[in-house]
Structure formats: structure tokens, C-alpha cells
Amino acid sequence: MIHSADIREWRNRDVIDPKGRKIGALEAVYLDTTTDAPSMATVRTGLPTRHRLVFVPLDEATLGPGYVRVAHSRGIVRKAPSIGTDDVLPMQREEEIFKHYDRPYEPGADRGRRLARG
């Protein structure tokens, strides 16, 4: 699990799957607005001229020297909902991300955002 204090120092580190295959580079961490705990990360994938940011859960992530290992395979992560590298996640797409990983979704406090960029 990534702790809030670790967020900034792991940006741009390799994100790998359970088999050690590189998925991309960690771009940003999104906090769960109900707990303030790291919940999801965006991973920069694609060709240099066609980068996009895909979302991956961090609840079972482990840190190693120079990498973040997530619990999902590279294929599952690369098919996850994505945004452009300069885009902001619309609140209406949050549920889509949770469903991709077969996770229950509940809006945040006062039916607001569940994910906030950390």
C-alpha cells in the first residue's frame, strides 16, 4: 500500500504488474475523498506521441527499488478507462473505473467526487 507521504517521491517510477511486466510510469495518485487514503493511480502508457493515462487501484500495491507493483495484469490495466495527459477526470466517469476492476462504487461525501488527485 502506498502511504500519503510516499506519493510525490514515486511519481514517474515504473509501474509493473504481478509478473514484473512494465505497464508504464506512475503519473499521479488519486485519494479516496471519504478516507484521504491513496486509492487509484494514473499510469502513463502508449507511444511517445500518443500517451494516455489509465487508472489502476493501489490497495494491493507494493513498492520496490524504482518501481510500484500493482495487483492487476498489464492487459487489464491497459484496457482500463483513460484520460488524456492534460485532461481532468470527470466525476461522471469515476464509476466506470471502479466497474472495470469489479469494485463497488459509492460517490464521495455529499454525493460528490470519490477520487481527488493528490
Side-chain angles (χ1 to χ4, degrees):
M1 167 70 113
I2 296 178
H3 298 284
S4 296
D6 300 328
I7 292 172
R8 287 187 180 87
E9 66 185 75
W10 288 101
R11 190 166 187 264
N12 294 318
R13 299 293 173 117
D14 287 345
V15 176
I16 62 173
D17 74 1
K19 294 183 178 180
R21 295 177 297 188
K22 184 177 176 181
I23 298 168
L26 193 139
E27 176 68 23
V29 172
Y30 284 73
L31 304 175
D32 184 319
T33 60
T34 60
T35 64
D36 285 335
S39 176
M40 298 268 181
T42 50
V43 180
R44 191 173 52 249
T45 64
L47 302 172
T49 58
R50 301 179 105 188
H51 280 143
R52 63 192 181 101
L53 302 175
V54 294
F55 287 82
V56 64
L58 291 175
D59 56 344
E60 297 177 43
T62 56
L63 303 175
Y67 66 84
V68 178
R69 183 184 309 265
V70 295
H72 300 278
S73 72
R74 179 172 65 181
I76 299 271
V77 176
R78 287 189 172 172
K79 291 177 185 172
S82 65
I83 58 175
T85 55
D86 293 327
D87 294 342
V88 175
L89 173 66
M91 187 178 135
Q92 299 82 359
R93 293 203 55 215
E94 288 183 346
E95 186 172 6
E96 180 184 351
I97 295 165
F98 282 78
K99 283 185 177 183
H100 178 77
Y101 291 105
D102 294 322
R103 295 173 184 264
Y105 175 77
E106 302 252 343
D110 297 324
R111 310 240 358 113
R113 285 189 166 278
R114 175 74 183 265
L115 298 173
R117 189 172 172 155

